[in-house]
Amino acid sequence: MKNYSKQREAILSYVRSVRTHPTAKDVYGAVKEQLPNISLGTVYRNLAELAESGEIISVNVGDGFEHYDCERSYHIHLHCNKCGEIIDIDASESGLFSLAEKSGFKSENAVTVINGLCKNCAKQ
């Protein structure tokens, strides 16, 4: 990991500890409890660098915020347009990478988001 620091370790640790796909502001709120002097800019910068290095992934679900995920295996994100929940589903057997490879494309990674309504919101 590039430029190890106490702040970066706290940010990475928090993202790894939750499955809620936090935004930078969520991470900032949680990490600020441990490191009161941390700035929101430091959180944004470290999240961007962690995503660039592949330690975490950045997920844009279309709600105007970047969300962060520590699960790096290929999976699909289901985003509820009503309540905002983001649900992970395994996609290792989906065949999307093999479809890309059949066209001669060499896949390295993918972030897939399906927008709609979660089970609870669809019932309402």
Side-chain angles (χ1 to χ4, degrees):
M1 183 182 346
K2 176 184 165 187
N3 297 333
Y4 172 84
S5 71
K6 191 175 183 179
Q7 289 104 342
R8 184 177 303 238
E9 185 58 37
I11 290 165
L12 181 58
S13 178
Y14 177 73
V15 174
R16 285 180 173 164
S17 74
V18 297
R19 297 288 178 246
T20 57
H21 304 84
T23 65
K25 287 185 180 181
D26 297 330
V27 175
Y28 172 70
V31 172
K32 191 161 180 65
E33 292 177 12
Q34 295 174 322
L35 303 169
N37 294 328
I38 196 167
S39 71
L40 183 57
T42 297
V43 172
Y44 273 107
R45 187 172 45 262
N46 278 280
L47 287 169
E49 289 174 4
L50 288 165
E52 185 177 315
S53 72
E55 291 287 319
I56 61 175
I57 61 171
S58 175
V59 181
N60 184 331
V61 298
D63 63 356
F65 300 98
E66 287 296 313
H67 295 263
Y68 297 92
D69 190 353
C70 68
E71 180 54 56
R72 294 179 302 176
S73 67
Y74 182 58
H75 60 285
I76 294 173
H77 297 93
L78 305 177
H79 173 247
C80 181
N81 292 324
K82 188 171 183 180
C83 72
E85 182 179 19
I86 302 171
I87 303 161
D88 289 339
I89 59 170
D90 179 36
S92 58
E93 301 297 322
S94 71
L96 290 177
F97 282 111
S98 62
L99 284 174
E101 289 172 7
K102 284 181 184 176
S103 69
F105 189 80
K106 176 66 176 139
S107 303
E108 293 178 356
N109 62 42
V111 177
T112 304
V113 177
I114 299 174
N115 290 292
L117 296 175
C118 69
K119 188 184 334 181
N120 292 333
C121 290
K123 288 180 186 177
Q124 298 173 358

